[in-house]
Amino acid sequence: MKKSIGLLLALGLTLSGSLWADGAAPGNPQQVSMWGNLVMLVGFVAIFYFLIWRPQSKRAKEHKNLIGGLQKGSEVVTTGGIVGKVVKVQEEFVVIEVADKVELPIQKVSVAHELPKGTLKAIRA
C-alpha cells in the first residue's frame, strides 16, 4: 500500500518536473504550476479511489449479500464473536441459537461471517 502511494507521488513529481524541462517558458510559471497541480490532484484522487473508496464499497457489497442470503440453519459469527446457528430470520433481526435452548436475537448487520456447515459441531466437540 505504501509502495503504491510512493510510486504515484514520485510519478506526479516527475511529471510536474518534466513540464519545466519540456520547453515551458521560464517567463510563464503560472501555466507550469497549474499543470503540476493538476497532475498532483489527479494522483491524489486516484490514490483515494483505489486505496480507500473502491475496497470499502466492495466490502460493503459483500456484507449486503451476506445479510441478504441468511437463512434458517446458517452457521454465523457476529461482530462480537458470538458463534451460533440461525433459527429465525426476520426483517431487521435474526435469532441465533448459541447453545441448547439458548437463543439470542441480534441485528442482521451484526453478522460478520457465515461459517461452513458443520463448524459448530467441530467447535463444540
Side-chain angles (χ1 to χ4, degrees):
M1 182 191 278
K2 289 184 180 182
K3 284 184 178 181
S4 59
I5 292 173
L7 290 173
L8 288 174
L9 185 59
L11 177 65
L13 292 175
T14 303
L15 290 176
S16 64
S18 67
L19 290 174
W20 283 101
D22 287 343
N28 191 1
Q30 283 291 37
Q31 184 179 7
V32 175
S33 178
M34 181 188 73
W35 283 107
N37 289 335
L38 184 63
V39 167
M40 290 300 290
L41 179 65
V42 169
F44 284 125
V45 169
I47 289 170
F48 180 79
Y49 176 75
F50 285 110
L51 297 179
I52 297 172
W53 187 75
R54 186 173 170 227
Q56 180 64 28
S57 65
K58 185 178 178 183
R59 281 190 295 268
K61 187 177 182 181
E62 289 172 356
H63 191 254
K64 185 177 178 181
N65 291 338
L66 169 72
I67 291 171
L70 287 177
Q71 36 183 294
K72 186 176 178 180
S74 298
E75 297 177 1
V76 296
V77 177
T78 66
T79 55
I82 298 173
V83 179
K85 186 176 188 178
V86 176
V87 178
K88 186 191 310 183
V89 179
Q90 299 170 344
E91 189 173 325
E92 294 292 322
F93 289 87
V94 293
V95 178
I96 62 170
E97 183 180 41
V98 294
D100 292 334
K101 299 181 184 177
V102 179
E103 297 179 351
L104 298 173
I106 61 166
Q107 289 183 322
K108 279 185 173 182
V109 294
S110 297
V111 175
H113 299 287
E114 186 172 0
L115 300 172
K117 297 286 183 189
T119 303
L120 286 178
K121 288 181 182 179
I123 292 173
R124 292 180 181 166

